[in-house]
Amino acid sequence: ADLDAVAALDDVAVVVPKARLASVEVAARAGLSLIALVEDGAGVRDAYEIAAHPAVVALAIGSADLTASLGLVPTGNGTELLFVRSQLVIASAAAGIRPPIDGPCLDVHDPIALERETRLARGLGLRGKLCIHPGQVAGVHLAFAPSEEEVEQARRVVAAWEDILTGGSAVG
């Protein structure tokens, strides 16, 4: 009934918790776009199959439940989930969907931890981060924003393309 109510809305995606292929298939019956929340070892193992489902638009990491279910000890630097993050990036790319979304920073009062986690996620190829407090949104946006060097490189690429379109050469 909840899925039917949400299906009436425009431009929404539903997060499927503890995603497995079977739960994704059930949720997909509502005709909605899905974000599959990977929260245990079976979800990590099946990440590609989940990502390849036609209704899935993104994978996300449920880091708190995942860490607990695997018996991992948080290190403070994110290395305990390095494999999972990389696995979901590869599964997403192989399935042709958007890059995955990182789990939330659980310390809502530590902007330095938020920035560190978000930059690590970005460096590993994730392109979003779940937030559990409104105060985290600005920090996540800032960490995922392109650097001045990236913006300048993009401008050079666009200029070279425009030069090619007008009969020039992209060499140089």
Side-chain angles (χ1 to χ4, degrees), residues 25-129:
E25 288 173 351
V26 169
R29 291 180 195 148
L32 296 164
S33 296
L34 305 176
I35 298 172
L37 191 60
V38 176
E39 299 185 89
D40 61 17
V44 174
R45 179 198 62 215
D46 298 340
Y48 171 75
E49 287 78 13
I50 294 167
H53 190 283
V56 174
V57 296
L59 299 176
I61 301 173
S63 49
D65 284 349
L66 180 62
T67 299
S69 74
L70 297 176
L72 303 177
V73 177
T75 60
N77 63 12
T79 57
E80 71 278 4
L81 291 176
L82 181 62
F83 172 79
V84 172
R85 287 178 171 120
S86 298
Q87 182 76 1
L88 269 56
V89 167
I90 292 166
S92 298
I97 63 172
R98 61 156 280 141
I101 303 163
D102 196 32
C105 177
L106 299 179
D107 190 344
V108 298
H109 301 295
D110 187 349
I112 294 170
L114 176 66
E115 180 180 2
R116 181 180 60 246
E117 286 184 24
T118 308
R119 290 197 185 280
L120 172 65
R122 183 176 187 238
L124 292 171
L126 291 93
R127 290 295 178 263
K129 187 158 183 71

Side-chain angles (χ1 to χ4, degrees), residues 103-108 129-137:
C105 177
L106 299 179
D107 190 344
V108 298
K129 187 158 183 71
L130 298 173
C131 296
I132 58 174
H133 188 278
Q136 294 177 317
V137 174

Side-chain angles (χ1 to χ4, degrees), residues 6-7 9-14 32-34:
V6 174
L9 303 173
D10 292 328
D11 299 322
V12 298
V14 171
L32 296 164
S33 296
L34 305 176

